[in-house]
Amino acid sequence: MKRLFWITITGALLMSTLTASGARAKSASTTKSPWGKTPDGEQVDLYTLTNKNGVEAAITTYGGAVVSLKVPDRNGKLGDVVLGFDSVDGYVEGKSYFGAIIGRYGNRIGHAQFTLDGKTYTLAKNNVENSLHGGTKGFNKMVWKAKEIPAKDGQALELTYLSKDGEEGFPGNLKVRVVYTLTDSNELKIEYSATTDKKTVVNLTNHSYFNLAGVGPGMGDILGHMLMIEADKFTPVDSGLIPTGELRDVAGTPFDFRQPTAIGARINSDEEQIKLGGGYDHNFVLRRKPGDPISLAARVEEPKTGRVMEVWTTEPGVQFYTGNFLDGSAHGKGGVAYTKRSAFCLETQHFPDSPNQPKFPSVVLNPGERYHTTTIYKFSTGK
Ligand code: GLA
């Protein structure tokens, strides 16, 4: 009986290391290596998560940033699909938030202030008149504590950070936990949770820049990627990229991505919102199917490689950003200059400036409550 049991287990393990085509797959693993130090001398590590298909996600404890993400094209060839740097120095100096965890408040807060229970909180104006992505030193510039944790569906890394009461002007000690899981279904799942000891506002996201054709020497732009966004409305902005409060129909505008459309098809139109954004830099109001725990937000297909990325989220919005501020000054992995439109972001989120917009879904977190959101980037190949 005992022997039969072991034979069965061994057989199952052997089977699981064979792919459908019969080729031997790499076995799943997580490795940790030292990745340098911050200017203050703090140790930074790099964790590399590999799933049973050989898909690989490298994540640094500096800003919790996804440094590289290698996924197959239609011929099974792995390629890195995110912008990033070869060493921690790039992230310390960087101003574009490549791959990082964004907090305490993702995107903008108008006039860098908000009011809770009659008390006004003032933040740093790090984006003209406004606060952007958590302030002068947001979660993207912090060293996170990391721990490998067991996961039934893949390789998981837990990152934690305590944002102290008053940090960057926000009230409450905020305990933040982010779990990255690279699943055996080729998904990068990100679960964000947080608790506070004072009423505060929270809006966490990840700022990965994707180019599904692959990043590196000779890389092109993302204008040919076909994008679908599950949104009937978007939030138009003013000249400081702060939502006006309107939820506008996408129908008849360059913001209609309800059917797959090339990112570049209307990006140079002289429509007012496109001009204000310098391209796309807008929040889309996601259709959520009532009762669904998590919904499809967007799907992107890159025609040459066949790579497909789906974004699933529990969040009400997604910021579609076309790298309008990339100007070639950041030299990323392999020394490549990252130019305008060389990548796009789909940052799942609550709407920008929600603390000042009573009609938008609330971003207030009270003591005793738990903030919890999930976003999945799922990779596959199409035609
Ligand atoms: C978000 C913002 C953009 C820009 C980038 C980072 O996408 O909406 O305006 O600030 O982050 O450069």
Side-chain angles (χ1 to χ4, degrees):
M1 193 58 195
K2 213 171 173 188
R3 179 171 296 172
L4 184 64
F5 172 76
W6 280 114
I7 289 170
T8 313
I9 292 287
T10 316
L13 283 175
L14 271 175
M15 291 289 287
S16 72
T17 59
L18 297 175
T19 62
S21 61
R24 195 163 283 274
K26 290 185 190 165
S27 58
S29 65
T30 298
T31 60
K32 173 187 175 184
S33 46
W35 212 51
K37 286 192 164 44
T38 67
D40 302 339
E42 236 183 310
Q43 170 72 36
V44 173
D45 295 318
L46 186 72
Y47 285 82
T48 305
L49 282 53
T50 308
N51 76 5
K52 69 167 200 222
N53 311 316
V55 167
E56 188 191 290
I59 295 158
T60 171
T61 53
Y62 189 84
V66 178
V67 170
S68 68
L69 185 55
K70 294 177 185 160
V71 300
D73 67 8
R74 67 160 74 79
N75 301 316
K77 188 169 165 257
L78 290 179
D80 187 1
V81 294
V82 292
L83 302 190
F85 296 105
D86 286 321
S87 77
V88 69
D89 305 344
Y91 293 89
V92 171
E93 287 151 25
K95 295 187 171 47
S96 300
Y97 308 89
F98 293 133
I101 298 170
I102 306 297
R104 182 178 304 199
Y105 195 91
N107 214 281
R108 293 174 178 77
I109 298 181
H111 301 293
Q113 62 175 43
F114 63 95
T115 304
L116 281 178
D117 291 341
K119 187 167 169 10
T120 298
Y121 295 92
T122 304
L123 315 169
K125 293 184 174 170
N126 64 331
N127 191 252
V128 200
E129 275 300 289
N130 307 313
S131 162
L132 176 67
H133 292 331
T136 313
K137 192 173 182 197
F139 292 1
N140 59 304
K141 297 281 181 189
M142 303 300 181
V143 179
W144 293 62
K145 279 204 186 106
K147 191 168 92 185
E148 280 175 57
I149 57 169
K152 28 180 196 338
D153 52 349
Q155 302 291 306
L157 181 70
E158 176 197 75
L159 298 175
T160 52
Y161 173 66
L162 170 66
S163 171
K164 296 240 175 78
D165 186 13
E167 181 182 288
E168 287 291 336
F170 291 97
N173 288 297
L174 190 78
K175 280 190 192 161
V176 190
R177 177 176 188 258
V178 176
V179 177
Y180 282 104
T181 307
L182 179 65
T183 74
D184 288 331
S185 329
N186 297 355
E187 300 163 328
L188 183 65
K189 176 161 82 182
I190 316 178
E191 290 165 282
Y192 306 84
S193 48
T195 54
T196 184
D197 58 2
K198 264 188 205 164
K199 191 170 187 165
T200 191
V201 294
V202 191
N203 190 28
L204 306 178
T205 192
N206 174 278
H207 211 307
S208 286
Y209 286 71
F210 298 96
N211 185 324
L212 300 181
V215 305
M219 67 183 283
D221 63 41
I222 42 82
L223 299 178
H225 285 52
M226 300 297 287
L227 169 68
M228 186 278 296
I229 306 181
E230 288 276 348
D232 300 308
K233 293 182 188 289
F234 73 107
T235 52
V237 291
D238 66 16
S239 59
L241 298 182
I242 299 294
T244 59
E246 180 191 349
L247 306 185
R248 187 177 294 173
D249 285 336
V250 296
T253 77
F255 295 84
D256 190 348
F257 283 99
R258 292 174 297 176
Q259 298 300 322
T261 308
I263 290 177
R266 299 158 302 186
I267 203 165
N268 294 318
S269 96
D270 55 12
E271 193 270 349
E272 185 212 13
Q273 285 295 317
I274 290 282
K275 283 183 136 178
L276 286 171
Y280 295 98
D281 192 353
H282 293 77
N283 171 68
F284 286 70
V285 180
L286 294 172
R287 282 183 201 146
R288 293 292 315 275
K289 291 193 192 84
D292 269 8
I294 190 161
S295 305
L296 180 67
R299 183 180 190 276
V300 193
E301 178 158 357
E302 200 288 303
K304 285 193 258 63
T305 58
R307 287 196 185 98
V308 172
M309 180 175 82
E310 284 179 1
V311 185
W312 291 75
T313 189
T314 59
E315 289 281 48
V318 67
Q319 186 83 8
F320 172 47
Y321 171 60
T322 41
N324 312 326
F325 297 120
L326 297 178
D327 59 5
S329 59
H331 287 76
K333 290 175 277 191
V336 176
Y338 292 147
T339 51
K340 193 169 168 176
R341 314 268 153 81
S342 59
F344 67 90
C345 303
L346 285 164
E347 304 152 59
T348 55
Q349 60 184 7
H350 270 58
F351 307 169
D353 197 35
S354 291
N356 297 310
Q357 306 253 4
K359 289 195 179 135
F360 287 176
S362 173
V363 288
V364 172
L365 184 70
N366 290 295
E369 295 173 347
R370 186 163 171 265
Y371 170 95
H372 185 79
T373 72
T374 303
T375 292
I376 298 172
Y377 295 98
K378 181 175 172 58
F379 296 89
S380 59
T381 52
K383 289 159 271 144

